[in-house]
Amino acid sequence: RKEVEQDPGPFNVPEGATVAFNCTYSNSASQSFFWYRQDCRKEPKLLMSVYSSGNEDGRFTAQLNRASQYISLLIRDSKLSDSATYLCVVNFPTGGGNKLTFGTGTQLKVEL
Amino acid sequence: NAGVTQTPKFQVLKTGQSMTLQCAQDMNHEYMSWYRQDPGMGLRLIHYSVGAGITDQGEVPNGYNVSRSTTEDFPLRLLSAAPSQTSVYFCASSPGQIYGYTFGSGTRLTVV
C-alpha cells in the first residue's frame, strides 16, 4: 500500500462547480497534513495546512478524518485559474526530522 | 527576500559525469530537503537535513550525496550521473515539523 494515495484524475469540471478530492494515508501516527498546488512545470506551492477540526480559506475547505486516515479538499465556485495538480502531503514521524511524503497528485481542469 | 534559490535551472550531463545542484534559502529555516519528481511517481525524498551538520537519507538516496555546513545552503551532489537520474529536482525548506515546505523553482536535469 502506498503511504499516501490520491485519485490521479483528471477531474474536468465547469467553471463555478464544486469539486472535492480525497487522499488516504497509511501511517496512523502521522502528525501534519497539507494540500499543495502544482502548476505545469512549476514548483509545488503550499495551498493550506489541514487541521484536526477542519479549516477553510476562502473557497477552499480542508478536512481531516483520523479514524479513517484520509484528508479532503473541497473547492467551491471553481475558477479557470484553479486548474492545476493538487498534491496531498503527509508528515510521517521519523524520530529525527520532518519527512513529508507526497501523493502523486490529482489533476483538476476547470472549463468554460 | 528571495526564498529558496536553486541553480542551475537546466543541466545536461553525460553518463558518468558528476555535478552539484545548489540550493540556498534566506529564511533561516532549519529543515531542508531534496526531492526528485518523475512522471507518474510524484515527489520522492532524496535526502533531508534538520539543521547545520545533520543530514539523513530519504526514500531514494543512492547516487546522491549531501552536506549541510551552514543553515542557508544544502547542495546535492551527483557522484556519477546515470540516465535514471534524469528528473526534475526540487529543494525545499521549512521552519519546523508542523509547517509546510517552501520549494525552489527546480532544476531540470537530463543525463544522456
Side-chain angles (χ1 to χ4, degrees):
Chain A
R1 180 183 175 185
K2 289 184 180 179
E3 291 179 311
V4 179
E5 290 199 71
Q6 294 182 253
D7 181 343
F11 285 61
N12 298 312
V13 302
E15 200 174 19
T18 295
V19 62
F21 310 134
N22 286 333
C23 163
T24 59
Y25 60 94
S26 61
N27 190 332
S28 60
S30 299
Q31 298 167 347
S32 305
F33 309 87
F34 309 91
W35 283 103
Y36 277 73
R37 169 193 170 128
Q38 187 173 26
D39 294 290
C40 187
R41 300 182 67 80
K42 298 285 190 180
E43 72 272 22
K45 293 186 177 178
L46 180 63
L47 181 65
M48 58 196 303
S49 302
V50 186
Y51 302 121
S52 297
S53 55
N55 48 300
E56 188 173 306
D57 183 2
R59 297 181 294 108
F60 299 84
T61 300
Q63 297 279 354
L64 168 63
N65 185 318
R66 285 191 183 272
S68 300
Q69 295 182 209
Y70 77 84
I71 67 173
S72 64
L73 177 68
L74 181 77
I75 305 175
R76 292 181 300 277
D77 190 21
S78 299
K79 311 292 185 189
L80 293 175
S81 58
D82 293 334
S83 297
T85 297
Y86 290 84
L87 305 173
C88 169
V89 184
V90 178
N91 179 6
F92 286 88
T94 65
N98 185 12
K99 283 177 64 174
L100 296 183
T101 298
F102 285 75
T104 53
T106 297
Q107 189 177 11
L108 172 65
K109 296 181 179 179
V110 182
E111 303 164 331
L112 286 171
Chain B
N1 191 338
V4 180
T5 302
Q6 289 185 239
T7 56
K9 293 191 182 302
F10 301 93
Q11 183 70 50
V12 178
L13 287 179
K14 293 182 178 178
T15 298
Q17 286 184 318
S18 62
M19 79 160 295
T20 299
L21 307 185
Q22 301 292 344
C23 176
Q25 52 93 8
D26 61 1
M27 298 173 283
N28 201 33
H29 286 172
E30 289 296 324
Y31 291 6
M32 295 186 76
S33 296
W34 275 102
Y35 290 86
R36 60 178 287 175
Q37 187 172 33
D38 303 291
M41 300 289 290
L43 284 105
R44 292 183 292 169
L45 181 64
I46 304 172
H47 286 283
Y48 68 101
S49 169
V50 298
I54 306 170
T55 63
D56 204 348
Q57 295 181 347
E59 180 185 356
V60 288
N62 292 339
Y64 308 95
N65 276 353
V66 292
S67 60
R68 185 95 180 270
S69 56
T70 66
T71 298
E72 294 78 19
D73 299 299
F74 192 41
L76 178 72
R77 280 181 288 278
L78 279 72
L79 308 174
S80 176
S84 60
Q85 294 179 304
T86 294
S87 188
V88 181
Y89 291 84
F90 289 105
C91 177
S93 73
S94 171
Q97 196 160 2
I98 65 171
Y99 302 98
Y101 272 89
T102 299
F103 282 79
S105 58
T107 295
R108 284 165 175 74
L109 176 69
T110 301
V111 182
V112 297

